[in-house]
Structures are given as C-alpha cells and as structure tokens.
Amino acid sequence: MTIAHTLGALSVMTGALLAAQAAQAQDNTFINPDWANSAWYLGAGVGQSRATIDEPRLRASLAANGETVTGFTKDQRDTGYKLFVGRQLNQYFAVEGGYFDLGKFDFKSTTSGNGVLNGQAAFRGVNLDLLGQLPLSQRLSLLGRVGMHYTKTNTEFSGNRLLGSTNTHASERKLNAKLGLGLEYKFSEALALRGEVERYRLNDAVGNRGDADLYSVSLVYKLGRPASATPAYQPAPEVAPAVAMPAPVVVAAPAPVPVAEKVSFASEALFDFDQSTLKPQGKAALDQLLGQLSGMDLEVIVTVGHTDAVGSDAYNQKLSQRRAEAVKAYLVAQGVETSRVYTEGKGETQPVADNTSAAGRAKNRRVTVEVVGTRKVAR
C-alpha cells in the first residue's frame, strides 16, 4: 500500500481524536490521576510497516537455475494496524495483548527468455507484551515494550520460473520476540495518544528469517473513569459564644486576639491535571473559605503550592508556584488586598506522605492557604 494510503489512515485517526476531545471538553478534569494506574484500557493504532525482501538470495537462486535477471522490483512498505487491550499494573508497568496486521510485501522479477517470478508475503498475528512507562512530566511518558508474538505468514509465488517449487502457496506459524519504543501524551485521565516503533522478528514460509518494523500512531482509552465531585471544605471550628454576665456587672469587651487559620486543599480539588487554572469547583471551595473569614481583620494570607514526585524537580517547582499564584489572583479578584497575599511554590520538597504509593502521592499534591488576622469581638 502507498504512503498516500498511510497518510489517509492517519488523517482519519486524527479526526477521531479531535472529535473525542471535543466531546470531553466539558468533562476533562483530572480528579483522580492515580485511578489510571490500575485501569483497563482499549486502543487502536495505524501506521507504516516495513520489511526487507532478500533480493541477493533471490537473484542467486535464479542464477543457479541458469537464469539471467533482467529486472527486479520490490515493495517493502505497506500500511499496518493493531488493536489491543491492556491493564495497568501500577504507574510504571502494564500488560498488553492484541491483534496486528503488518500488511503485504512483494517482489517482481524478470529473466532472460521471458521468464517471470513474482512473490508476496503477508504477516498477521497476536501478541502479549510487558509495557514499561517512565514519566517525563505529568502528561508525557517514555514507553518501552518487550513481548512475544504468534504470527501466521502466507507466502505466494507466481510466474513461469518457480525454481522447481511445486508449492506456490505456503503458510507458516511461528512464535517470536518483539520489541518497541515510543512516547505517550495524556490529553486527560482517560484519553492518550501514542507514537511507537515496534520490531517483529519473523519467519516466512520458505525458510527466510528477518525483521519487520511498524511505525504507528495509536489512541488509548482507559475504562471506568470516576465521576467528578465538588471538593469538600473543612471549615475552622467555631468559637464558643461568650457567656453574658448578669446586670449590673459590666464586663469590658476583650481585646481582639490574633488568630491563624490554615486550610489544605487537594490539588485535584482546585485544578485540572497538570494545569494552573482554577476549576469552578475550586473557586467554590475558595468562596467557602472567604465566607469563614468574614468578621476578621486580615493581616496576611499565604498560599503555598506542593506537588508529588512525578516529573522533574524543576517542572514541579514551576507548577507549584503557578498554582499558588492562581489562588492569589482569585482571592484578590474577590476583594482581598493584593499586598496582603503572598505566594510560594515548594514543588516536591515538602511531602506529607510516601510518594511510592498512589494514596501518598495524592496527599502530596496540595495547596495550603494560611490566614493570619484578628477576630472582631461584638460589644
């Protein structure tokens, strides 16, 4: 199949990707990134396959039978595709099984005396792989795979120079190894795009052994995504009302007492995954906090962003600072004086839990808001 056909297939996949993204535009929140570390997923990929036809061996075989090769053409590229299902074992590994079709590869040769020898080989089969995933950032991961594939090869010959072969149609089934390398980019918790190159070790039906490569682009969709939920806000404990003294004793009102209140929000409650723009649910949570501060003379508010250990130190530092700045911007927009709000990004430097577990990483992804001021006492 020509490169034009391959590009056409890739255009169809790109259109499907854009449609899927549009359908999810209103429900694309990263409310639980760690859910994806144990999810089942489905995927499909298409791309260009390449194999090597052993022209020197074929020419030598014809020459051994007294033929002189006058022309030789070969098509070593075709469109390949794959369908697969997988299960995440954890953040770094998954098991994946699938079906693939690498397409067809052929040659045409002519010899002296109007001789013709044509051949074609087709490869399709099933595979089982162990997939490794190394996060480069919260959205981008490096992929590596190793596995086995069970492939059926169909080889056909035609023409009037069949080299004494009476079997013009041969079939072979073999178990061989495969390797792969690629990148994955997450659009959301559920939807990702992969670009990969995979090498299949192959046997054809006439005793040849070689490799075929598949360069593919795939869509991956994870199943069972949790529903969105409004973040829960834990208000500060209410101050017990003062007990009124009986008349005629007059009790002087106590002097205002400085107080400090600190609230910690999960990052997923305020922001989409890998983003620093407040979600509507996050704004609602901050509105609840501001409501609790009514009646207080504010002195200072400090917002501090924190991340887990996924991704580089530099990237996490910048993300935590942007999120702290986003919280400040919203508080200022609600009437808090900008000179009273300070921000700081701690990145992954101050974990409150173990980053090796999903639950621990969820606790470490947080934004804290600390308020210092004095409560007004009614007279």
Side-chain angles (χ1 to χ4, degrees), residues 145-183:
R145 67 171 68 235
V146 60
M148 303 295 294
H149 66 96
Y150 185 71
T151 300
K152 178 182 179 181
T153 304
N154 289 318
T155 305
E156 297 183 357
F157 294 99
S158 62
N160 55 14
R161 296 292 188 272
L162 295 180
L163 306 179
S165 174
T166 57
N167 189 2
T168 59
H169 178 89
S171 179
E172 179 79 4
R173 291 177 172 84
K174 285 288 186 179
L175 182 67
N176 279 304
K178 68 185 293 279
L179 300 170
L181 189 67
L183 291 171

Side-chain angles (χ1 to χ4, degrees), residues 44-321:
V46 64
Q48 187 176 87
S49 54
R50 297 181 182 180
T52 300
I53 293 175
D54 192 352
E55 180 179 347
R57 187 185 68 86
L58 291 167
R59 285 179 175 271
S61 297
L62 290 167
N65 283 268
E67 303 288 344
T68 299
V69 177
T70 58
F72 196 99
T73 61
K74 53 187 176 182
D75 184 357
Q76 301 181 116
R77 300 182 181 184
D78 201 357
T79 296
Y81 68 89
K82 60 180 181 177
L83 304 171
F84 53 91
V85 60
R87 172 68 184 273
Q88 286 290 148
L89 303 179
N90 52 44
Q91 181 184 5
Y92 302 103
F93 293 100
V95 174
E96 191 172 291
Y99 170 83
F100 62 88
D101 188 332
L102 299 180
K104 297 178 180 180
F105 311 94
D106 54 55
F107 72 89
K108 296 180 180 180
S109 63
T110 56
T111 67
S112 56
N114 296 320
V116 175
L117 176 63
N118 301 326
Q120 183 181 81
F123 306 94
R124 64 185 62 182
V126 294
N127 64 282
L128 181 65
D129 299 343
L130 177 65
L131 182 68
Q133 299 160 303
L134 178 63
L136 303 178
S137 71
Q138 289 181 308
R139 287 185 181 270
L140 185 66
S141 297
L142 178 67
L143 304 180
R145 67 171 68 235
V146 60
M148 303 295 294
H149 66 96
Y150 185 71
T151 300
K152 178 182 179 181
T153 304
N154 289 318
T155 305
E156 297 183 357
F157 294 99
S158 62
N160 55 14
R161 296 292 188 272
L162 295 180
L163 306 179
S165 174
T166 57
N167 189 2
T168 59
H169 178 89
S171 179
E172 179 79 4
R173 291 177 172 84
K174 285 288 186 179
L175 182 67
N176 279 304
K178 68 185 293 279
L179 300 170
L181 189 67
L183 291 171
E184 179 179 271
Y185 183 82
K186 298 179 179 65
F187 292 101
S188 70
E189 282 183 327
L191 185 64
L193 181 69
R194 289 180 185 174
E196 291 185 275
V197 55
E198 296 167 272
R199 170 155 290 184
Y200 297 77
R201 190 65 171 164
L202 296 170
N203 296 76
D204 67 15
V206 290
N208 295 322
R209 184 175 174 85
D211 299 314
D213 298 328
L214 176 63
Y215 302 82
S216 65
V217 176
S218 304
L219 283 177
V220 182
Y221 185 79
K222 291 186 175 178
L223 307 175
R225 182 184 182 193
S228 179
T230 300
Y233 167 72
Q234 301 295 332
E238 296 183 0
V239 178
V243 178
M245 300 300 291
V249 178
V250 177
V251 179
V257 179
V259 295
E261 298 182 4
K262 186 174 182 180
V263 179
S264 180
F265 297 93
S267 291
E268 288 83 356
L270 301 180
F271 304 97
D272 285 342
F273 179 63
D274 202 25
Q275 298 296 311
S276 57
T277 302
L278 280 167
K279 300 191 298 186
Q281 300 99 313
K283 294 177 181 179
L286 293 176
D287 287 341
Q288 292 181 48
L289 172 62
L290 290 172
Q292 292 292 318
L293 302 181
S294 61
M296 175 184 286
D297 289 329
L298 292 176
E299 296 181 12
V300 65
I301 297 178
V302 181
T303 67
V304 183
H306 303 268
T307 70
D308 60 21
V310 178
S312 69
D313 294 348
Y315 181 86
N316 287 335
Q317 173 62 35
K318 293 178 181 178
L319 177 62
S320 65
Q321 183 66 43

